[in-house]
Amino acid sequence: HAKVWDQWGLQHAVIQLAQPKLQALFSRHWDPIQKPEDHSQTLAAWKLLLAPSAHYMALNPDSAAETANAFKNMLLETILPEIRRQWSVNWNPRNPKPVVRFFKAWSQTLPHEVQQQILIQALVPRIKREVEAWDPMTDEVPLDNWLLPLLPVLGNFSDDVLPLVRQKFSIVLQAWQAADSSAMRVIAPWIPAFGQHAGPFLSRNILPKLSLAVKSMQINPAEQDVQPIKFLFDWAQVLPTTMVVSVLEADFFPRWHSVLYQWLMEQPNLAEIRSWYRSWLALFPTDVHAIPAVKLAFKRALRMIENVEAGQLAVQEGDDEYFSGGEEQELHGVKAPSSAMPMLTEEEELLADSIANEEAVQKMSFRDLMEVFVSISSSSPLSVS
């Protein structure tokens, strides 16, 4: 009988009869927080009668469009008001499960336009209010615990919420120091969610502090404190490779090579220098050591040691040619073919895989730094990216 139903366009007439019944059902007998799946199957059955079918749309497109619009308006007038009321008053966004369950149960039944209006009118405003009220000093539930599960539901509307998250993090990070490893545990879950804005966020809020820590680290073979560079290594799992390389190129390797050169010029114990070199090689995590620019920097140092061991000057006239040609490398703009590089010994390769995983020294925890948020947030304008 579907063709007869479509031929006479009965959907539009039945919508007018169905709306009062559905309105009573959803306003009196539905709790979208405690039982968000309730009545989804009931509406799915009504949809078969009320929504225009493909056959009807082909038979009478103008009438079908009018019927589809009437069906959409009916849902906006029956379901949306109750959702908006319940989510605004009774729903705690720190418990995202009811909303996630709702969209999972209703995604195939509600038209796309209706789902969009639910997001615009009910969900996005509620989440924005909650994020704006988020107090880093007192909130015991981490923000990522409840907001990250809601991002797939928000879809493109996440862009209305995530700038607020980046803004609050940026304000707190103004007082952060690289020695505080707790910041990475807080920030890391958000990097995938920030998408194209993650790089600018890290470059502005994290990279300068790591650069300062590495730059302030004295390179002293007699008494070496390696903690500052370990801070960078801890963040290497979050930072883009280019940022890690930029700090090493600017703030570590030039000074490290200079210390090695000066040491080699003092007729040293070459066994001690080899041991020092290997200790640095072992300190670098495997993934950092695998970066071509880092490999090249260590091979430059090894070349200097081998030159002196051979009774030559640490830096030979032909070393520029030795490290030129072949595959483009990042360090100092030189090109270094792997075939022309000195091979590391088996012992050195094993040491390179031995990663020091000590915890970073904490001078002040990230949560403690959160306490500056209230006083800063009201007086520090912040651009977000």
Side-chain angles (χ1 to χ4, degrees), residues 121-322:
Q121 297 189 39
L123 187 58
V124 173
R126 182 67 184 92
I127 293 178
K128 286 184 69 175
R129 290 200 306 272
E130 197 68 23
V131 173
E132 288 168 350
W134 173 56
D135 187 346
M137 294 188 303
T138 60
D139 283 341
E140 297 181 358
V141 181
L143 188 64
D144 55 282
N145 278 19
W146 61 268
L147 185 52
L148 285 180
L150 290 170
L151 295 185
V153 173
L154 289 171
N156 292 335
F157 291 104
S158 297
D159 292 338
D160 293 345
V161 176
L162 290 176
L164 295 173
V165 177
R166 291 194 295 273
Q167 183 184 57
K168 294 203 170 189
F169 281 153
S170 295
I171 293 174
V172 174
L173 286 169
Q174 291 177 13
W176 170 72
Q177 298 299 322
D180 177 11
S181 62
S182 65
M184 189 185 67
R185 294 192 293 271
V186 175
I187 299 298
W190 291 96
I191 299 305
F194 288 169
Q196 64 180 350
H197 301 288
F201 174 84
L202 293 168
S203 179
R204 182 166 52 250
N205 297 290
I206 303 299
L207 197 63
K209 302 293 183 68
L210 296 174
S211 175
L212 180 62
V214 174
K215 187 181 301 182
S216 64
M217 179 183 70
Q218 291 187 354
I219 300 176
N220 182 0
E223 187 177 357
Q224 184 64 62
D225 176 15
V226 297
Q227 284 300 142
I229 201 168
K230 285 186 178 182
F231 304 152
L232 176 66
F233 295 158
D234 289 340
W235 279 91
Q237 59 185 292
V238 174
L239 296 173
T241 299
T242 53
M243 292 188 185
V244 177
V245 170
S246 70
V247 174
L248 292 174
E249 286 185 342
D251 304 317
F252 175 71
F253 277 124
R255 297 189 300 121
W256 188 70
H257 284 142
S258 177
V259 169
L260 174 60
Y261 177 82
Q262 295 297 327
W263 196 4
L264 289 169
M265 293 300 97
E266 297 173 358
Q267 297 182 341
N269 183 325
L270 293 176
E272 290 183 356
I273 291 184
R274 276 275 186 175
S275 177
W276 180 80
Y277 168 86
R278 289 167 179 164
S279 68
W280 279 105
L281 192 67
L283 180 66
F284 274 58
T286 303
D287 54 345
V288 177
H289 183 266
I291 299 172
V294 175
K295 284 186 175 181
L296 180 58
F298 275 108
K299 290 180 179 182
R300 279 184 173 276
L302 184 60
R303 178 67 169 180
M304 293 166 64
I305 297 171
E306 290 177 338
N307 285 342
V308 173
E309 287 177 335
Q312 303 172 343
L313 294 175
V315 179
Q316 295 293 306
E317 185 176 347
D319 282 350
D320 287 342
E321 287 76 15
Y322 180 82

Side-chain angles (χ1 to χ4, degrees), residues 5-6 8-16 49-53 56 67:
W5 187 270
D6 289 341
W8 291 97
L10 297 177
Q11 294 94 334
H12 193 72
V14 174
I15 286 175
Q16 300 178 24
L49 294 175
L50 304 181
S53 64
Y56 184 28
T67 299

Side-chain angles (χ1 to χ4, degrees), residues 63-85:
S63 179
E66 183 180 349
T67 299
N69 191 57
F71 178 65
K72 177 190 71 176
N73 289 336
M74 181 196 70
L75 295 177
L76 291 176
E77 294 173 8
T78 55
I79 294 179
L80 179 57
E82 187 62 19
I83 292 177
R84 188 168 54 221
R85 184 182 69 83

